[in-house]
Every structure is written in structure tokens, then in C-alpha cells.
Amino acid sequence: MKTLKDIELAGKKVLVRVDFNVPMNDAGEITDDLRIRTVLPTLRYLLAQKARVIVCTHMGRPKGQRVEKYSLAPVAAHLARLLGCPVPLAGDCIGAVAAEAVARLKDGEILMLENLRFYAQEEKNDPDFSRQLASLAEVYVNDAFAVSHRAHASVVGVTDHVSEKAAGFLLQQEVEYFHRSIDNPQRPLVAIVGGAKVSGKLEALRNMLEKVDKMIIGGAMANTFLKSQGHGVGASKVEDDLLDTAADLLRRAAERGVKMYLPVDVIAADRFAPDAISKQVTIQDIPENWMALDIGPASVICFNEVLADAKTIVWNGPMGAFEMAAFARGTMALAHTVAASHALSVTGGGDSNAAINQSGEAANISYMSTGGGAFLELMEGKVLPGIKALG
């Protein structure tokens, strides 16, 4: 996989696929620009090399229609402020309008194309759409890790029609950190896996069992594992159809010598609400109509000990309903422990990163991946289509 520094860029038209699908409020203002800021090193490098930079991205789900609220005009204006130079927005992403806007570009200038998903052909990886997009440039750069698990035209199809292609700095960094944490880790390697469902992370769990030394299971998905071991979990969320699967995963871990850790106590509540009545109970004592919504303090102590000698930590998924203050303590405690460790720590997934940010520990995590689905697919052992296309 070539990177930016492997290519002569001066004077060349460079199409850069980014993920600027940023959250916006009703007034059309960007409420979190992290996805934009993480790509600034790539864009600044391209501009410094006197490339003619053409940025393309999607926004929202316009379903193949031109929907004004999904226009990239606010994003282009915000990027211009961050870069300190004009970022004109082309009225389209393909066709004569886009071609004319690109033709006006001079060396060291930047342009943004309008929303790729105004065309249904983008998500269908349509060959003609890919060809039209590629015709705007001589070099293609993928710096959108978060969508690199999607076989879309701007991620995969376009690479068949450009003479040179490369990974941007963000994509390069994502791949390098994943390699360091999963493929070639310093050991012990500990995985922390949480979240709501076993089903959504089943393939990742199976693959990670082949990689890790220890695994911590938390969040609602832990209930399925606990019930598979004969524990009553009250009214907690459980995937009853996966009880045998959960038990099998625990057996396989034991056979491989991988130590699996489940909660030993929980914060249980009489309902799923911020003002619910709650109490700490052991996993043997969850009341019949109550639900486990966080790991308890004894579990935190146990998990902290598991992490004490870790050299590498990979975290995907919270330990409970951390959005509610009453059920955030377990996740926050683990975030502080991971941040204070001397391990290489890598987190991935929207909830995991939101929890890290909520804990105030973002600066103390080695790397926070920008991809949710893409990060999970790497955990599953898959090759991402967007990365394969750069090969």
C-alpha cells in the first residue's frame, strides 16, 4: 500500500476521499469537527506539495437525491476556516459542473465536491459513476478509514480508473496502530469487549480468541454469557438464541488458554431510566424483575487487576449504560485504568470513544480509531475493501 510520500504530487490533480459526515444541529452548524481535524495533516501536506486537491465525501443519508440539508456547504466553509484558505464547493461531484470547478484549480489550491450520496450510484459502486469521479484526477488518496469497509464507488470503484493511488496519513495511522495492537502486539494483549449485543460482535469475539491472552466481557452482552453459565440475570437484556454460542466461546477460550473475565457484580435497576432505583448486587443476586445496567465495584477491581500487567489493550464497547450518570461509573473507572496503564491502548467504535471523551482521558489513550464498523471488521479478521483496493 503506497502512502503519500511515495508519490510525486506537485501540479497533479489529487482526489482525496475523506469522511466528513459530521454531526450538525438544526441551524446547520457543525457540533463536532473531529472527523475534519483528523484529516488536516493529509490536506496540509498535499497543499504544501503544490497538488491540486479535490476533496470528496458523503453526508447523511439523502438516498440518491439532492437534499439541501445534506449539502456540504457548511463543511467546506468550516474546512476553509481550519486551513486558513478558500475551499470552494463545486455544485456537483461528477459531470460538467465538477469538471469545470476542477479545471479552475491552480497548484496548491483545494476544492470540495458536493455530496457523493446525492447519487445512488455511489453506494452501488457503479462503474460509470466510478469512472466519472476518477476522470477528475490523476491521483487517488483514501483517507477515510471509517468508510473503508464499504465497497462504494468513491472507496473501491474509483481505484480502477486512476494511474496512482495511495493511503492518506490518517488511514496509514489506523492500519499501523491496528497492526501494532492485534497482528504484532507486545504481550500480554488484553481485549475489552462490551456493548449491547453478542450477535453484533460474534465474529470479532471468535477471531480475537485466536489473538489475545485475556478478554474482559462487559456491557449488556455479558448477560448472555452469564446466563449461559447458569446465572439468573433478572430482566436484563439477553440474547437467548446465543446462549449455546456464548457457552461454546467460553469453552474455546479455556481450551486455548485464553482467560475470559465476566462481571462478578453489577449495578442493577428496576427500570431503564436515569432516575431508576438501583443497587449493587452480585451476579447471583440480581432481582427477578431488575436489569443489570453497569458493572459493579468488585468487577472494576477484578478487571483492574486483569489489566495491571497488560502491554497492549484493545477496547471496543462500554461496560454499561454510560450515557446515564447512575450507570457510568464502571465504564469511567475502566477508562481511567486504561489511560493510566503503561500499555499501548487502542479504542474503536463510537460508544467506546464517546465514553473515553466523557471520562476526560482522551489525551492519555495511545490511539482512538475513527472507525466503528471498519474497526470491528478488522477485529473480525477481515480485509477492508477500501484498503485492498489500494494494493
Side-chain angles (χ1 to χ4, degrees), residues 235-256:
S236 304
K237 183 183 289 185
V238 172
E239 292 173 279
D240 285 313
D241 59 328
L242 290 176
L243 292 176
D244 289 344
T245 302
D248 182 61
L249 284 167
L250 292 173
R251 278 194 301 271
R252 285 180 56 190
E255 289 167 4
R256 292 192 55 80

